[in-house]
Amino acid sequence: MLLTSSSVWWIISVTTDPEQTALNRRQSMAPSKNPESGNGALGQRYRAANDRTPQAVPRVTLVPGDGVGPEVTGAAVRVLEAAGVRITWDIQEAGAAALKKLGTPIPDALVNSLRCTRTALKGPLETEVGQGYRSINVYLRKTFNLYANLRPTRSFEGVHAPFRNVDLVVVRESTEDLYAGIEHQVTPGVVESVKVITARASTRIARFAFEYARHNGRKSVTAIHKANIMKLSDGLFLKCARRVAVNYKDVHYDEQIVDAACMRLVTNPRAFDVLLLENLYGDIVSDLCAGLVGGLGMVPGANYGEKGAIFEAVHGTAPDIAGKNIANPVAAILSGALLAEYLGYKDAASRIRKAIGDVLRAGHTLTPDLSGNATTTEMTEAILNAMTAVEVGRNSRVERTTG
Ligand code: NAD
């Protein structure tokens, strides 16, 4: 299981598959000479990523992360393996864990691994507040041009939450805005942070949102902005969204100012379908949305680019509960289901989601954030058992049909 002496380069479930490299290239969203080149091109890439049939064993970078990261990514790996998703994991450290061991939060081995696999399942990484190194998440999204952060947020029966039947998707641009990291001190006591919005990135994310809506049976896209104040930057974002919207007559398009949108989200979240946001608003609003469906332990995420994808829960390292084996594993496992879909394992992803739904509905094995008293391990095992029950149910149906 551990192949080298270095703790930063472990490989589990080793494969010697000669098709590996070729598959890795295929499994990444095909690079486009012109990423803005028409709705059809992005649509095809998006569909291609979701309709693949798995052939050889793909290699995927696994970043356990900091805080609760190793606990919840470990749960996701167990569930993926039990669901029959065959992956060769290349385990890499990053963040505070890597800084402590290797003196850098972004080791070269991690970057090289991602360059090779172009796909990762990642735990949360610690970033100090107001000081310290730059966010590694921001670095990875920028370096690998993972411009679309997708956060599907839905209610599950059995979870006590302010609303039922919430089913919305946050699409967040994730390469620019105030996250561009351009900050400087003009003079002591005066600092500036630069908000960067470009037509290219705004158009690209709008297309992603509409393509996602069109191919996932979504009815509307709402662009959320503050263009009444930031007339140039948010104004440009809106102009681009409007220009893209005219090509998607089958998807309703509207706009809301971010503060009013927050109020509407906490009073009538069912009025929303796909939310299209810049980077900062998207980050904030997606945590708000998580609160509507039971908290941060419930919402998965994916970062898609033209050449790859990183899958990770919305939540952070949860330092208050780290190491206690009580973190809710659902968000990480659902992120694993998104990864499974990306690799072509659609049925496995459905089985994982069904098993999670069954465990939540039964309500016997829930972590403390869901008002239960189960550990992360117990809840993960309940999900594994529920998947086995689905399998047994299937097999017995087959026996009856053929017998
Ligand atoms: P957080 O998401 O870590 O925690 C907020 C609250 O939600 C805490 O009370 C925590 O216990 C709870 N929570 C989070 N995940 C949970 C889970 N799976 N089960 C049960 N409860 C859960 O946010 P924070 O405290 O603002 O950030 C902590 C650290 O995480 C910071 O260093 C921040 O930069 C980092 N962070 C990383 C990512 C990422 O890597 N993608 C995302 C967000 C925050």
Side-chain angles (χ1 to χ4, degrees):
M1 188 163 157
L2 305 186
L3 281 192
T4 76
S5 55
S6 163
S7 59
V8 293
W9 186 259
W10 305 334
I11 297 179
I12 49 178
S13 166
V14 181
T15 178
T16 50
D17 193 330
E19 284 183 89
Q20 191 60 65
T21 317
L23 178 75
N24 281 340
R25 271 193 215 108
R26 278 202 304 277
Q27 81 191 25
S28 57
M29 289 186 180
S32 160
K33 280 184 188 140
N34 174 9
E36 308 266 335
S37 61
N39 307 327
L42 179 58
Q44 275 165 20
R45 282 196 294 277
Y46 191 83
R47 280 192 299 282
N50 281 282
D51 294 346
R52 276 184 304 256
T53 305
Q55 290 163 22
V57 180
R59 198 180 177 93
V60 173
T61 304
L62 177 64
V63 183
D66 297 319
V68 296
E71 297 161 57
V72 295
T73 50
V77 167
R78 283 184 74 188
V79 172
L80 283 168
E81 283 175 358
V85 180
R86 296 177 68 222
I87 291 173
T88 299
W89 296 107
D90 179 8
I91 304 183
Q92 295 292 331
E93 292 198 60
L99 182 67
K100 209 166 153 198
K101 277 192 193 161
L102 308 162
T104 170
I106 312 172
D108 289 346
L110 166 72
V111 177
N112 291 338
S113 172
L114 288 170
R115 281 213 173 98
C116 174
T117 65
R118 297 174 176 185
T119 315
L121 179 65
K122 186 183 129 327
L125 299 171
E126 184 184 309
T127 311
E128 278 186 292
V129 176
Q131 56 179 17
Y133 53 81
R134 233 187 119 190
S135 163
I136 301 141
N137 300 310
V138 173
Y139 172 85
L140 292 177
R141 288 174 196 146
K142 281 200 77 171
T143 304
F144 293 97
N145 208 7
L146 302 172
Y147 65 89
N149 185 201
L150 187 85
R151 295 177 161 181
T153 307
R154 56 167 288 223
S155 309
F156 280 93
E157 214 183 307
V159 174
H160 296 291
F163 294 95
R164 283 184 186 177
N165 303 325
V166 174
D167 182 8
L168 51 84
V169 180
V170 171
V171 173
R172 164 191 173 201
E173 203 291 324
S174 47
T175 60
E176 53 182 33
D177 192 359
L178 283 159
Y179 288 57
I182 307 169
E183 287 191 310
H184 54 262
Q185 178 176 285
V186 180
T187 187
V190 182
V191 294
E192 284 181 349
S193 294
V194 179
K195 171 163 173 155
V196 179
I197 298 292
T198 65
R200 182 180 180 277
S202 302
T203 304
R204 186 171 62 172
I205 194 66
R207 278 201 187 120
F208 183 95
F210 278 97
E211 285 291 328
Y212 180 87
R214 180 176 274 175
H215 295 291
N216 288 277
R218 298 277 169 176
K219 301 216 163 4
S220 75
V221 170
T222 304
I224 294 176
H225 64 92
K226 192 76 185 170
N228 49 331
I229 305 298
M230 279 160 279
K231 294 174 195 291
L232 276 184
S233 54
D234 286 20
L236 176 61
F237 184 79
L238 276 191
K239 259 186 218 158
C240 296
R242 285 173 196 161
R243 249 184 248 136
V244 171
V246 294
N247 298 316
Y248 294 84
K249 301 279 187 225
D250 49 325
V251 181
H252 175 74
Y253 171 71
D254 64 357
E255 297 167 358
Q256 289 191 22
I257 294 175
V258 63
D259 33 354
C262 288
M263 189 278 295
R264 287 197 187 103
L265 276 164
V266 298
T267 49
N268 185 18
R270 283 178 290 252
F272 291 85
D273 198 348
V274 175
L275 284 68
L276 167 63
L277 305 104
E278 293 168 8
N279 207 342
L280 178 64
Y281 307 146
D283 200 5
I284 297 167
V285 169
S286 54
D287 272 30
L288 182 153
C289 292
L292 302 173
V293 298
L296 284 165
M298 297 299 298
V299 184
N303 304 281
Y304 295 110
E306 300 291 338
K307 297 183 184 175
I310 295 181
F311 299 83
E312 60 179 339
V314 168
H315 66 75
T317 60
D320 49 336
I321 56 168
K324 295 182 180 166
N325 195 22
I326 55 167
N328 182 347
V330 166
I333 297 172
L334 287 173
S335 305
L338 288 171
L339 166 64
E341 249 164 15
Y342 182 71
L343 296 175
Y345 289 92
K346 276 181 153 183
D347 284 353
S350 303
R351 267 183 292 134
I352 292 171
R353 291 192 186 106
K354 180 170 184 330
I356 289 173
D358 290 347
V359 169
L360 294 169
R361 197 175 311 109
H364 305 307
T365 325
L366 307 179
T367 44
D369 59 308
L370 301 178
S371 309
N373 54 15
T375 62
T376 308
T377 312
E378 286 164 348
M379 192 165 175
T380 307
E381 271 157 15
I383 293 166
L384 292 168
N385 290 339
M387 272 196 330
T388 313
V390 172
E391 279 307 305
V392 171
R394 276 184 173 195
N395 292 341
S396 54
R397 271 203 302 282
V398 171
E399 272 168 29
R400 274 200 298 279
T401 331
T402 54

